[in-house]
Amino acid sequence: MTTYEEFIQQNEDRDGVRLTWNVWPSSRIEASRLVVPLACLYQPLKERPDLPPIQYEPVLCTRSNCRAILNPLCQVDYRAKLWVCNFCFQRNPFPPQYAAISEQHQPAELIPGFSTIEYTITRAPTMPPVFIFLVDTCMDEDELDALKDSLQMSLP
Ligand SMILES: [Zn+2]
């Protein structure tokens, strides 16, 4: 990897995520001044054979209006057993099952290569699954018409 552009491309290829910006706005004022809105294209169900699903619940930020998930970009204080949310800067204690973590013994969600994690949650869901069907309509009119026709044929 020789350029920043290649670095970004490599991360997009790995995670199936493309953001409109490479840096998060640091304030509401800065966010309001963005010429292009902050947005994300996400490739759901991207195959990641190098990353097996994690068989436990994600660790969530304790701030009720945040609930972000522990990730490799969070700051961690291994001695105090705390992590700092990288979205709202809330200091969060690790749950009891993380008592043995250290810089040498990290959970998968803190390992930099695990930038995308698929959790397999064993408890019963509290709500029905949500399916999002997105179609990128930036295509030729003929292709779009063919897509519309195929969707009408498949609908009951
Ligand atoms: Zn947070």
Side-chain angles (χ1 to χ4, degrees):
M1 177 171 34
T2 57
T3 66
Y4 188 65
E5 186 178 334
E6 287 174 347
F7 169 77
I8 297 294
Q9 187 65 48
Q10 185 181 46
N11 284 296
E12 289 176 359
D13 292 344
R14 185 188 66 213
D15 294 329
V17 175
R18 174 174 284 208
L19 294 159
T20 51
W21 295 97
N22 298 326
V23 178
W24 213 255
S26 61
S27 68
R28 282 181 193 262
I29 293 171
E30 192 176 299
S32 71
R33 293 180 179 157
L34 292 175
V35 176
V36 175
L38 186 63
C40 175
L41 276 175
Y42 175 67
Q43 181 182 350
L45 306 176
K46 180 173 177 58
E47 292 287 329
R48 289 291 309 267
D50 56 322
L51 298 179
I54 303 295
Q55 304 294 324
Y56 51 81
E57 302 269 333
V59 176
L60 304 179
C61 175
T62 55
R63 181 168 285 170
S64 62
N65 63 350
C66 179
R67 311 293 286 165
I69 294 174
L70 177 64
N71 64 78
L73 303 177
C74 295
Q75 289 183 344
V76 175
D77 182 338
Y78 290 100
R79 278 191 289 144
K81 308 295 185 203
L82 293 170
W83 63 279
V84 179
C85 176
N86 57 333
F87 289 94
C88 72
F89 304 111
Q90 171 80 13
R91 292 170 58 86
N92 298 286
F94 279 106
Q97 62 269 29
Y98 284 65
I101 69 163
S102 66
E103 288 184 58
Q104 294 76 35
H105 184 69
Q106 296 179 331
E109 54 267 53
L110 291 178
I111 297 171
F114 279 51
S115 53
T116 298
I117 291 184
E118 180 178 328
Y119 290 93
T120 301
I121 298 172
T122 53
R123 67 174 165 74
T126 56
M127 55 192 280
V130 175
F131 296 96
I132 300 173
F133 185 65
L134 299 172
V135 176
D136 183 355
T137 57
C138 296
M139 59 179 75
D140 295 335
E141 198 165 325
D142 292 344
E143 271 185 274
L144 188 57
D145 287 342
L147 177 65
K148 287 177 186 173
D149 290 345
S150 70
L151 290 173
Q152 287 173 349
M153 290 172 45
S154 64
L155 293 175

